[in-house]
Amino acid sequence: MSNNMLTTKEATLISDLLTMEESACKKARLYSRTLTDQNLAQTFSKIADNHERRFNALLELL
């Protein structure tokens, strides 16, 4: 399926997923900056990076 062949429903689902990934990324980044436990802060930073990668991959589908 090419990028131009997404149905309206598929585009809507991807858009919803983008919103969720963006929100999760922002929350994880916030936690990574505010936690005093460095190990936990690093873990949340990695989690944010993973959400950002998924966000970018989904964005490429649109």
Side-chain angles (χ1 to χ4, degrees), residues 4-59:
N4 297 335
M5 300 294 288
L6 290 175
T7 66
T8 302
K9 184 175 182 176
E10 290 167 333
T12 300
L13 289 170
I14 291 170
S15 179
D16 290 347
L17 289 169
L18 280 167
T19 300
M20 289 183 260
E21 289 294 348
E22 181 181 29
S23 177
C25 180
K26 286 180 179 179
K27 288 177 185 179
R29 287 261 184 254
L30 175 65
Y31 297 150
S32 74
R33 291 185 192 116
T34 57
L35 289 166
T36 55
D37 180 321
Q38 288 305 306
N39 288 332
L40 200 50
Q42 285 179 335
T43 298
F44 272 97
S45 182
K46 290 175 186 174
I47 290 169
D49 291 344
N50 287 335
H51 283 295
E52 187 174 354
R53 276 192 289 280
R54 284 191 293 274
F55 177 89
N56 289 329
L58 287 166
L59 192 58

